Amino acid sequence: MDYTKGKWIASKGKAGFAIEVGEKQIASVPHYIGNTPQETEANAQLIAAAPKLLEACKEIILVWQGLDPDRTFPHLEETITRAIAKAEGKDGTTR
């Protein structure tokens, strides 16, 4: 599964936030009843950070694979590997 490449930015609008790559809107985070404006902004920022977080996780796994197995953190590696699978739509939870 591929995602839109480029720098993801959360831009504030009247009804919430748009996640944009260049001039292209790829997602929106509307203000929902029950969410504070701060929560809405935090959700938008988290979504905008997703590509960088995914790449960082992949790099961590590559580094860990090259380390001495006795010095790694298998529980963290498993958690990160599951997060990567979810981000790539490979965990079976995509609807």
Side-chain angles (χ1 to χ4, degrees):
M1 179 167 73
D2 272 342
Y3 61 88
T4 304
K5 303 297 184 204
K7 185 176 182 179
W8 289 26
I9 298 172
S11 300
K12 188 174 184 178
K14 292 180 182 178
F17 286 81
I19 310 303
E20 301 170 332
V21 177
E23 297 296 317
K24 182 179 180 181
Q25 181 176 335
I26 59 169
S28 62
V29 182
H31 293 299
Y32 286 110
I33 296 173
N35 281 1
T36 67
Q38 294 82 7
E39 287 172 318
T40 301
E41 182 174 1
N43 292 340
Q45 294 297 342
L46 182 59
I47 292 168
K52 293 283 187 191
L53 293 169
L54 176 59
E55 293 306 314
C57 287
K58 287 180 175 181
E59 286 186 36
I60 289 169
I61 294 297
L62 289 175
V63 168
W64 277 345
Q65 289 172 346
L67 293 176
D68 177 352
D70 294 332
R71 298 184 64 204
T72 62
F73 305 92
H75 64 286
L76 291 176
E77 184 173 357
E78 180 182 338
T79 299
I80 291 172
T81 300
R82 283 195 312 250
I84 292 169
K86 184 169 183 71
E88 294 180 336
K90 298 177 183 174
D91 72 336
T93 62
T94 303
R95 296 182 211 183

